[in-house]
Amino acid sequence: MEKKEKSSKKIARYSLFIMIAGFLATLPFQDSIWAELIRGGFEAGLVGGLADWFAVTALFRHPLGIPIPHTALLPANRKRMTNALVTMLKTNWLSKESIQEKIKQIPFTEKLIHIIRRELAKEAVQKGIVELIKKMITNLPIEKAAPFLRKHLLSVISNIEIKHILHTASEQLLKERFDEKALNYVLNKADTWLRNKDTAHQLGSVSMNVLRKVEADGILQFALKSIQNLLTADKLGDILRNILLNVVTNLKPENDANRKALLLYIRNELQNIEDNAEFIEGIDKWRNKLLDTWNPDQMIHSSLQELQQSAVSMVEQDAFRDHLLSGLTSFLNKLAEKGPALDGWIKNQIGILVDNNHEQIGLLVQENLDKLDNDTLIYMMENSIGKDLQWIRVNGAVCGFFIGIVLTGFQAFLHLF
C-alpha cells in the first residue's frame, strides 16, 4: 500500500514536471503552428496539474505551508466531519433496523452445530477434550472437599432414624426367613459343640463350680451336697450334654411345637424391635459415642484420591472417548431438532442487546477518532484515498494538455478569418 502510494505520488509529480518542461521547451518556437498547439497543450496541462495539486493538497494541509483561506479543510472541519461520520454510521450504515434485519437472516444454531460437528470429527480436538477433562479431574481440590464431605457424612449419620432402619431391617429379615436360618445355624453349631468329646467335661466342671457357690438352707442344701457326693464332674457333664443334645435334636424338625413357639417369639421380638425404647436408646448412645471418637478424614481423603485416579483411568480409555462422542452427537441432534426455537431465542437476545447498546457503536467510533491527532488522521486518510487523489492530479494535467491543444487549435482557426 505504501509503495503504491509513493508510485502514484511520483507519477503525479512527474506529470507536472513534464508539463513544465514541455511548456518551457516550446516557448522559443512561436512561428510554427504545431509548436503553438503543443505549447498550448503543455500550458493548459501545467495549469490543470497545478490547480489539481492545490486542490488535493488543500484537503489535508496548507499548500506550501501558506495559510490560504479555505485550505487544510480536514483539520479545520475535523469535528464536523467526525460527527457526520458517526451520525451516518449510526443512522444509515449500522442502524438498529439494519442490524436486526441482518441478524434475522443468520441461522445461528445451524452454523454453530455445523462448526461443532466439524471440529469434533478432528482427532486433535477429541484428544484435546479428553485432556481437558483429565486436567479438570486432576485439579479438583480434594483437600478442600474432604472437610466438607466429613461434615456432611457425620451430619447424615447423626440424622439417621434408628427406628426406621430397625423397622426396615426386621421386615427384610422376616421376609427372607432369616429367623429360621439363624435358628438352624445356632442349632447346628450347638449340636457340633455338644458332640465334641471335651464338651461333657467342660459342662460338668462348670456345673460343679456353680453348685459349690450356691448357698441354700435345710433340705435344699442337703440335696445339693448329695448330688456333689454322688456325681463326678464327668458324669454330671455327660447328663447335661445328653439333655441338651436331646433339646437341640427335638428343635430341628420344622413341625416341632417347641421350635414353632421359639420362632414365634423371635418373630414377635423382631416385629416389635422398633418399639423397644431401651434398645433404641442404647443404639443412639453407641452411635453418638462412635461419632465423637471417629475421625474419617484420612479415609475420605484416600477414597477421594482413589476415585480421582479411577476417573482419570476411565477417561484415558478409548471406550470413554467413544461414549463421549456418542453423547455429544446425540446432544447436537436434539439441539438441531430444537433449532428454530433456539434460533429465535438467540436472535431475540441479540436484538435486545443491540437495542440497548446501539448508542455505544457511535460512542466507540467517536472515542477512537478522538484518540487520533490531526497528523495521524491525515496520514490514515491519505493512505486510504491518497492513490486516487494523486491520479486526479495526473488526470488534471493530461486532460488539461489535450484541452489546451483543442483550444489553441480553435484560436488558430479563428485567426485565419
Side-chain angles (χ1 to χ4, degrees):
M1 179 80 177
E2 231 175 272
K3 186 176 180 182
K4 287 183 179 179
E5 185 196 55
K6 288 182 179 180
S7 298
S8 61
K9 279 186 176 181
K10 287 180 180 180
I11 293 173
R13 193 180 300 118
Y14 292 156
S15 67
L16 188 58
F17 289 159
I18 290 171
M19 296 302 157
I20 294 173
F23 174 71
L24 294 175
T26 56
L27 282 177
F29 306 98
Q30 300 290 334
D31 299 331
S32 172
I33 185 63
W34 297 108
E36 282 291 325
L37 288 174
I38 298 300
R39 184 184 62 79
F42 280 122
E43 182 180 5
L46 177 59
V47 173
L50 287 172
D52 286 341
W53 166 82
F54 183 90
V56 170
T57 305
L59 287 173
F60 302 105
R61 57 183 66 83
H62 296 297
L64 301 176
I66 303 172
I68 303 172
H70 304 295
T71 58
L73 297 178
L74 178 60
N77 297 276
R78 171 177 176 153
K79 190 66 178 176
R80 186 170 61 182
M81 185 188 71
T82 54
N83 287 340
L85 177 62
V86 170
T87 301
M88 183 171 58
L89 186 68
K90 290 193 300 183
T91 57
N92 297 325
W93 295 349
L94 292 175
S95 64
K96 290 182 182 180
E97 293 75 16
S98 63
I99 295 175
Q100 291 176 344
E101 186 63 31
K102 190 64 178 176
I103 289 171
K104 291 179 181 178
Q105 300 173 9
I106 302 174
F108 290 100
T109 306
E110 180 182 338
K111 289 180 175 294
L112 180 63
I113 292 175
H114 174 72
I115 292 171
I116 295 175
R117 280 178 172 162
R118 183 188 64 200
E119 294 301 313
L120 282 177
K122 298 178 181 178
E123 182 74 14
V125 174
Q126 296 175 12
K127 290 182 178 179
I129 294 174
V130 171
E131 287 299 320
L132 177 62
I133 295 173
K134 282 174 60 178
K135 278 192 175 181
M136 291 173 61
I137 294 172
T138 53
N139 291 331
L140 286 174
I142 292 177
E143 294 77 10
K144 294 181 180 179
F148 170 78
L149 290 176
R150 176 184 182 278
K151 182 179 179 181
H152 184 69
L153 178 62
L154 294 177
S155 175
V156 169
I157 296 175
S158 298
N159 294 326
I160 291 176
E161 189 176 353
I162 301 298
K163 195 172 184 178
H164 176 71
I165 291 179
L166 291 175
H167 175 74
T168 304
S170 62
E171 282 188 343
Q172 191 65 28
L173 290 174
L174 292 174
K175 182 179 179 180
E176 296 181 5
R177 303 179 68 179
F178 188 79
D179 53 337
E180 293 185 27
K181 295 177 182 178
L183 179 60
N184 290 334
Y185 178 80
V186 171
L187 292 175
N188 289 332
K189 286 294 181 180
D191 185 88
T192 302
W193 181 70
L194 289 171
R195 295 184 185 279
N196 191 297
K197 61 180 181 178
D198 297 328
T199 301
H201 178 72
Q202 293 173 1
L203 287 173
S205 299
V206 172
S207 301
M208 283 296 184
N209 289 332
V210 171
L211 291 174
R212 293 191 191 100
K213 293 178 181 179
V214 173
E215 296 182 0
D217 298 325
I219 298 174
L220 181 58
Q221 179 67 27
F222 176 75
L224 291 175
K225 291 292 183 182
S226 299
I227 292 173
Q228 293 178 35
N229 293 329
L230 291 173
L231 299 174
T232 62
D234 291 337
K235 288 183 179 181
L236 181 58
D238 192 57
I239 293 171
L240 293 173
R241 185 173 70 88
N242 290 331
I243 293 172
L244 292 174
L245 271 174
N246 188 50
V247 171
V248 168
T249 303
N250 291 335
L251 288 174
K252 285 184 177 182
E254 293 185 1
N255 59 353
D256 182 70
N258 292 326
R259 176 188 173 90
K260 292 180 179 179
L262 181 58
L263 287 174
L264 180 61
Y265 173 79
I266 294 173
R267 287 169 183 165
N268 288 334
E269 289 296 316
L270 285 174
Q271 289 173 346
N272 299 323
I273 193 171
E274 60 184 291
D275 298 325
N276 191 331
E278 184 178 354
F279 180 69
I280 293 175
E281 183 181 355
I283 294 179
D284 276 333
K285 288 181 179 179
W286 173 81
R287 177 181 62 183
N288 294 334
K289 185 177 180 181
L290 175 64
L291 293 178
D292 290 339
T293 57
W294 186 40
N295 186 9
D297 289 355
Q298 184 60 38
M299 180 196 71
I300 293 174
H301 191 272
S302 300
S303 298
L304 288 176
Q305 283 184 326
E306 291 177 4
L307 181 62
Q308 185 182 51
Q309 189 58 44
S310 298
V312 170
S313 300
M314 180 188 71
V315 169
E316 291 175 343
Q317 296 177 3
D318 293 337
F320 174 80
R321 188 194 297 187
D322 295 338
H323 286 305
L324 179 63
L325 291 176
S326 176
L328 290 174
T329 302
S330 177
F331 172 75
L332 290 175
N333 291 337
K334 291 180 180 178
L335 199 64
E337 293 175 0
K338 299 179 180 179
L342 185 59
D343 240 23
W345 181 84
I346 293 174
K347 292 174 182 178
N348 183 54
Q349 296 303 311
I350 296 177
I352 294 173
L353 183 66
V354 170
D355 193 56
N356 293 336
N357 298 277
H358 185 258
E359 288 296 323
Q360 299 299 322
I361 297 175
L363 293 176
L364 179 62
V365 175
Q366 185 72 59
E367 287 177 4
N368 288 328
L369 288 175
D370 290 342
K371 290 177 182 178
L372 303 175
D373 55 31
N374 286 339
D375 292 338
T376 305
L377 186 59
I378 290 171
Y379 174 78
M380 292 176 64
M381 294 194 69
E382 280 188 314
N383 275 349
S384 298
I385 60 175
K387 180 181 177 181
D388 294 326
L389 292 176
Q390 298 305 322
W391 277 106
I392 289 175
R393 292 172 56 188
V394 175
N395 291 334
V398 173
C399 290
F401 176 79
F402 288 109
I403 292 172
I405 292 175
V406 172
L407 291 177
T408 303
F410 183 71
Q411 287 178 349
F413 177 75
L414 292 177
H415 288 159
L416 294 175
F417 299 95

